[in-house]
Amino acid sequence: MKIYSILLLSSFLLFSCSEDALDTDSVFVDKTVDKNDLDNYIEHNFTKDYNIAIVYKFVEAESDLNYNLSPAQYESSVRMTKLLYYLGIEPYDKVTGSKAFINSYFPKLLNYIGSPAYRNNGTFVLGTAEGGTKITLYALNDLNETSATNATFLNRYYFHTMHHEFAHILHQTRDYPSSFNQITGSGYVADSWNSIYSDATAAADGFISPYASKEANEDFVETYSFYITLSPAQWEQKISAGGAAGRAKIEAKLDIVRAYFMNVWNIDLDVLRDEILARQASLPDFDQLSLK
């Protein structure tokens, strides 16, 4: 009986399958997504030349769920994309002589968030870099017609952060000399930087900013990003705030940063800074909304 039942069932299955016909239409249908002007601008100016994607519509999987975040507004995203190309991409192309440097080392994904990411200690995150492949920029919704032409505002909230995070990617690719770490030695204070230092007291101990006192890698990229985004007068004011001893330490660090970029990446920091400052000065005449 058992053998008969199995044979009977097998015959039924074979018979049943032989009568089925496969549908020639696939269940997987490509969805057509209409592209707007910003999508086309990103594809032409970032993806085509540098293989860079920009996520400006809020995508939960690309966001840090540890923070209460809001999406970036469309106009803010347009402004940031235009400014990013003008202040963050083209200066490197100009000083290196080609698009190859950005194409090779700049992260391939940029993620826009409308709000800051607030920490429990009262500070907030303005940008993060992940594994050399992604940079997230926060607080985009503070960009408007007035703030977007203010170089000090742009540097504080976006471009200091962008250069800071890009420098992390570069030193993680090819490290800077260990002699940098020895200038302030055991003076790094980890996560206590916000409660221990102000701008003036940090400079007195040889740090360009309070955050630079967290650890050597942050110190290195802070020194770099402040130097290339501040005017000579602003830089002088910042390093002089802590007196002669602190200034000497910051200048010693800058010497190492400058030599590193020249020897490793063939980038003259002073030429790069001049290019960035010239573009900052032209911001009032720069069209931030046209995507044509």
Side-chain angles (χ1 to χ4, degrees), residues 4 18 104 117 127 150 155 197 201 225 229 231-232 246 255 258 263 285:
Y4 174 78
S18 66
S104 297
N150 185 324
N155 286 332
Y197 283 118
T201 56
S225 54
T229 56
S231 69
D255 287 342
R258 183 185 281 113
N263 296 334
D285 300 320

Side-chain angles (χ1 to χ4, degrees), residues 26-27 77 115 154 164 182 196 203 209 211 231-232 251 279-280:
S26 174
V27 297
S77 297
S115 59
L154 293 177
H164 172 116
Q182 299 166 10
I196 291 177
S209 69
Y211 191 57
S231 69
E251 288 181 332
R279 290 168 181 262
Q280 289 179 8

Side-chain angles (χ1 to χ4, degrees), residues 155-220:
N155 286 332
R156 180 183 178 189
Y157 283 90
Y158 312 111
F159 286 95
H160 171 81
T161 299
M162 194 218 74
H163 293 294
H164 172 116
E165 300 299 348
F166 186 33
H168 271 313
I169 292 169
L170 294 177
H171 80 70
Q172 288 163 4
T173 302
R174 297 182 64 180
D175 205 3
Y176 54 86
S178 60
S179 56
F180 182 94
N181 308 38
Q182 299 166 10
I183 295 173
T184 40
S186 59
Y188 296 105
V189 297
D191 288 333
S192 299
W193 62 270
N194 185 53
S195 59
I196 291 177
Y197 283 118
S198 65
D199 284 344
T201 56
D205 283 352
F207 301 109
I208 193 63
S209 69
Y211 191 57
S213 69
K214 182 177 180 180
E215 49 97 9
N217 287 336
E218 300 300 344
D219 195 6
F220 182 86

Side-chain angles (χ1 to χ4, degrees), residues 76 79-80 83 139-145 147-148 153-154 158:
S76 300
R79 290 186 187 276
M80 175 52 66
L83 288 166
L140 257 72
N141 291 342
D142 289 335
L143 270 178
N144 54 50
E145 185 176 358
S147 63
F153 174 86
L154 293 177
Y158 312 111

Side-chain angles (χ1 to χ4, degrees), residues 12 27 30 32 38 48 61 77 94 98 111 118 145 152 163 168 171 223 230 285:
F12 173 78
V27 297
D30 292 335
T32 301
L38 180 54
K48 180 181 176 182
S77 297
K94 185 76 175 291
S98 76
N111 186 34
Y118 289 97
E145 185 176 358
T152 300
H163 293 294
H168 271 313
H171 80 70
T223 303
L230 294 180
D285 300 320

